[in-house]
Amino acid sequence: MTEQEIFEHLFTIADQSDDTGGVVSACLVRQGFIVAEGVSGNDGKHAEYVLLRQLELSAISILPDDIVYTTVEPCGKRTPGGKGEYMGDCTTNLIQAGVRQVVYAAPDPDASAHTRYKFAQADCSLRQVNDPHIIRQAITLFNSTVTSTSDALPE
């Protein structure tokens, strides 16, 4: 699968989410095929967290060449006392699970500094997709599903 096909799939599965804080979807790609996927939920579970739990439940190990694709840059911190704080941040969860490569579409300015620092410290690859259409589509998806404009991503 091409990156465009992977992101098109992520945009398609996003309609499974009930997240009113901004829908995000993620998947694990192995040798060009989607192995598992996850979407964020209104219960505070981020897409990457759901993806990692799906892998765990399916007894699928993460291999060094596997790539996680996500529509929004993984969070590098959680709001203290916020919904889902107990799950930890997605960056730490991905690194601890053995993910070495992450490709995202929309940047998250609230998380970027923490996320980039943690991935760099773990010697993991984090990169934004190059296609501006995919980036715009991810931002539009996220922003169309937030109930608070203060949570919207910059366009």
Side-chain angles (χ1 to χ4, degrees), residues 19 41-47 49-50 53 75-90 93:
D19 195 347
N42 210 31
D43 55 2
K45 292 180 182 169
H46 291 183
Y49 180 87
V50 173
R53 296 297 70 77
C75 70
K77 62 179 180 169
R78 283 285 197 143
T79 304
K83 190 180 349 178
E85 177 191 19
Y86 70 94
M87 292 177 244
D89 68 85
C90 294
N93 290 337

Side-chain angles (χ1 to χ4, degrees), residues 20-22 143 145-149 151:
T20 58
N143 288 349
T145 57
V146 293
T147 53
S148 171
T149 55
D151 293 332

Side-chain angles (χ1 to χ4, degrees), residues 34-56:
I34 295 174
V35 175
E37 61 194 30
V39 295
S40 59
N42 210 31
D43 55 2
K45 292 180 182 169
H46 291 183
E48 299 89 342
Y49 180 87
V50 173
L51 170 65
L52 293 174
R53 296 297 70 77
Q54 182 67 21
L55 291 167
E56 187 179 312

Side-chain angles (χ1 to χ4, degrees), residues 117-154:
Y117 176 79
K118 288 178 179 183
F119 275 108
Q121 289 298 310
D123 197 29
C124 295
S125 169
L126 173 71
R127 74 171 175 84
Q128 185 176 23
V129 68
N130 291 326
D131 187 328
H133 174 71
I134 292 172
I135 296 167
R136 272 193 310 279
Q137 196 170 354
I139 293 169
T140 300
L141 169 66
F142 186 89
N143 288 349
S144 70
T145 57
V146 293
T147 53
S148 171
T149 55
S150 65
D151 293 332
L153 298 173

